Amino acid sequence: MGTVLDSHFLALTAIVTVVYQFIFFVITALFKFDQVTDFAGSTNFVILAVLTLVLKASWHFRQIVLTLLVVVWGLRLGIFLLMRILQWGEDRRFDEQRGNIVRLIIFWTLQAVWVWTVSLPLTLVNASDGGGSLKPADVIGWTMWVFGFLIEAAADQQKLSFKNSPENRGKWCDVGVWKYSRHPNYFGEMLLWWGIFVAASPVLEGAEYLVIFGPLFLTLLLLFVSGIPLLEASADKKHGNSGAYRSYKKTTSPLILFPRGVYGNLPGWFKTVFLFEFPFYSRNLPQEKVRVDSKTAKRKK
């Protein structure tokens, strides 16, 4: 069907994203109804994927597969998050934002940037003629997506089941894949979107490789901004005085799935450099109380 605004659909997808997110921002601001926030983000990916595929109408196998992968991910995540928040009630992330229009604007702007940026690899694939025959990179990327999708879906369902069990109230989740990572859902999401980029790479040329900023932006966002840092701070404040929690945190990888017995014995520098165990993830952890033996204390006097 040809070009719409620009040959890579960059302007079109930006406009669609801004309009779509603005509609939900208005709903949230006027009615204090934030249950649709995550649904708005996830379904926006689906809209961009289908829209760009249909508009270009090349119908190359690579385009169809990648579009289906994003649609499946977006619908699964969107429906899951919507059902979860309707069950739980209010989204606690917005406790300090409902009455602060500036914070709401910042949040919805960031969500729009997140959707448009992370979608870039698929947007360019769908804007192309498909990129010719399939390459090893296609299979590698699809495989990464499958593993990432399964890890994220399993982590979401396991944590929901854990939280819904009355005897687990007030506890941290350490069942299933959560035994091997403190944030396996984020690991799965990063892995599947890096898989989308890898599978898109046979189509890219020259400056088009800059779409690597999509999965890179997602990774940086979850590692340093709105993902792991916020959840680590919340968990540390809630469970930081528990010795069992401290042991769990020392022996469990923050992101990449890793056996506890191995992870717990790795040197600190290795964890930081290769496994993303950054020191600021523990800055809200209460200092351990040092018990001084009474006899030792008397001798010092």
Side-chain angles (χ1 to χ4, degrees):
M1 294 178 65
T3 299
V4 178
L5 297 181
D6 65 89
S7 60
H8 291 91
F9 294 148
L10 299 181
L12 173 68
T13 52
I15 293 171
V16 170
T17 299
V18 169
V19 171
Y20 191 67
Q21 294 303 310
F22 180 74
I23 292 172
F24 284 98
F25 160 73
V26 172
I27 294 173
T28 302
L30 292 181
F31 303 104
K32 313 299 182 190
F33 185 77
D34 47 48
Q35 282 87 341
V36 294
T37 303
D38 292 319
F39 181 79
S42 302
T43 54
N44 202 155
F45 283 97
V46 175
I47 291 172
L48 297 187
V50 174
L51 178 64
T52 52
L53 176 68
V54 172
L55 285 177
K56 185 63 178 181
S58 295
W59 308 111
H60 189 282
F61 185 68
R62 176 182 288 114
Q63 296 171 322
I64 295 172
V65 170
L66 287 180
T67 298
L68 284 176
L69 294 184
V70 171
V71 168
V72 169
W73 170 81
L75 290 179
R76 199 286 308 177
L77 184 61
I79 293 172
F80 170 80
L81 294 176
L82 180 61
M83 293 298 100
R84 187 184 69 176
I85 195 61
L86 290 177
Q87 177 185 345
W88 288 359
E90 291 185 338
D91 192 333
R92 294 180 180 177
R93 294 175 302 172
F94 291 90
D95 288 346
E96 298 179 357
Q97 297 182 15
R98 293 186 185 94
N100 190 320
I101 191 66
V102 175
R103 289 188 177 183
L104 276 179
I105 292 174
I106 293 174
F107 173 85
W108 285 97
T109 300
L110 184 61
Q111 177 149 293
V113 172
W114 166 62
V115 172
W116 183 80
T117 304
V118 176
S119 294
L120 283 175
L122 177 60
T123 298
L124 261 66
V125 168
N126 283 350
S128 71
D129 60 3
S133 60
L134 298 181
K135 305 290 193 303
D138 292 287
V139 179
I140 293 173
W142 299 344
T143 303
M144 291 171 64
W145 183 93
V146 169
F147 278 104
F149 179 82
L150 292 177
I151 291 171
E152 183 182 36
D156 285 342
Q157 194 57 50
Q158 288 167 357
K159 188 170 185 178
L160 181 62
S161 298
F162 183 88
K163 291 290 187 182
N164 286 339
S165 180
E167 62 265 25
N168 294 326
R169 187 165 297 172
K171 298 179 180 179
W172 59 92
C173 183
D174 62 350
V175 299
V177 292
W178 297 85
K179 292 180 180 178
Y180 310 104
S181 169
R182 303 201 298 271
H183 305 282
N185 53 332
Y186 288 160
F187 174 64
E189 185 167 345
M190 291 181 196
L191 182 59
L192 70 86
W193 277 108
W194 278 105
I196 294 293
F197 169 75
V198 171
S201 61
V203 174
L204 306 178
E205 296 179 352
E208 292 177 343
Y209 277 99
L210 289 175
V211 297
I212 194 175
F213 186 66
L216 183 61
F217 177 77
L218 172 68
T219 301
L220 295 176
L221 190 68
L222 294 179
L223 285 177
F224 299 107
V225 185
S226 66
I228 295 178
L230 296 181
L231 293 179
E232 288 287 309
S234 176
D236 286 355
K237 290 177 181 178
K238 187 182 300 182
H239 308 293
N241 291 314
S242 167
Y245 171 78
R246 288 177 176 272
S247 176
Y248 159 77
K249 188 162 185 174
K250 288 179 181 178
T251 58
T252 308
S253 168
L255 184 67
I256 301 173
L257 273 64
F258 221 83
R260 285 184 180 178
V262 177
Y263 185 82
N265 294 315
L266 293 174
W269 67 266
F270 187 91
K271 293 179 180 179
T272 300
V273 175
F274 297 106
L275 298 173
F276 310 104
E277 186 69 87
F278 301 117
F280 66 88
Y281 286 166
S282 297
R283 63 187 175 190
N284 291 289
L285 197 64
Q287 293 185 347
E288 291 186 272
K289 295 180 181 179
V290 180
R291 294 183 177 179
V292 181
D293 184 84
S294 59
K295 292 182 179 180
T296 304
K298 289 179 180 179
R299 289 175 186 174
K300 288 183 178 181
K301 289 180 178 179

